[in-house]
Amino acid sequence: MKGQPISVSKAKKAIADYKKAIGRPDGMAELSIFYCEEAFGFLESCSMEDESYFAALIRMYGRSLEIVSSLPPAERTSYLERLDKLRSRGRSVGWAVEEEFNNLWYAAAMDEQQGE
């Protein structure tokens, strides 16, 4: 990976393009959560220290929570499980990611939604 460009904007553009073209809420949930999962995979393998990358990850996690919250309760379960797993993965990367994820999770009342 050394010397290869890292482009958060390209990944976010792909999601924005999907939203413009199709924009189904379940597809948006899938793409935004996948973005977070892949971002963690990258961080865990490369140990990158880029504040803007962490900030983008935290923003996308927040968007994922918003999107999943807007889905009908019957469609939320698998997405909420994945988002919950991401919270614990935040512990391994530092930069207060776990704390920010927890703050977003509790602000969106996800524990209550998981029980629905």
Side-chain angles (χ1 to χ4, degrees):
M1 297 285 316
K2 195 170 189 165
Q4 293 183 9
I6 301 161
S7 180
V8 170
S9 63
K10 285 183 182 178
K12 288 170 50 177
K13 183 180 179 335
I15 295 170
D17 288 348
Y18 173 84
K19 184 176 183 176
K20 281 188 231 177
I22 300 168
R24 289 185 40 196
D26 59 331
M28 292 298 299
E30 179 61 40
L31 286 173
S32 63
I33 294 169
F34 181 75
Y35 170 101
C36 294
E37 291 167 339
E38 290 300 306
F40 267 112
F42 179 76
L43 287 171
E44 291 163 349
S45 67
C46 295
S47 301
M48 186 174 67
E49 298 290 325
D50 181 346
E51 184 177 354
S52 63
Y53 189 88
F54 290 99
L57 174 58
I58 291 165
R59 282 191 305 274
M60 186 61 71
Y61 185 82
R63 283 193 205 128
S64 299
L65 290 169
E66 291 171 11
I67 295 165
V68 171
S69 292
S70 72
L71 295 173
E75 295 179 27
R76 294 181 194 156
T77 304
S78 66
Y79 297 121
L80 289 173
E81 288 171 0
R82 290 167 63 194
L83 287 165
D84 195 22
K85 286 179 187 172
L86 284 169
R87 286 191 311 143
S88 63
R89 286 178 78 181
R91 187 174 317 131
S92 66
V93 298
W95 285 79
V97 171
E98 180 183 29
E99 292 86 6
E100 289 296 324
F101 278 19
N102 283 331
N103 289 340
L104 291 166
W105 177 271
Y106 292 117
M110 287 301 159
D111 283 336
E112 289 83 24
Q113 290 191 37
Q114 260 188 321
E116 290 181 10

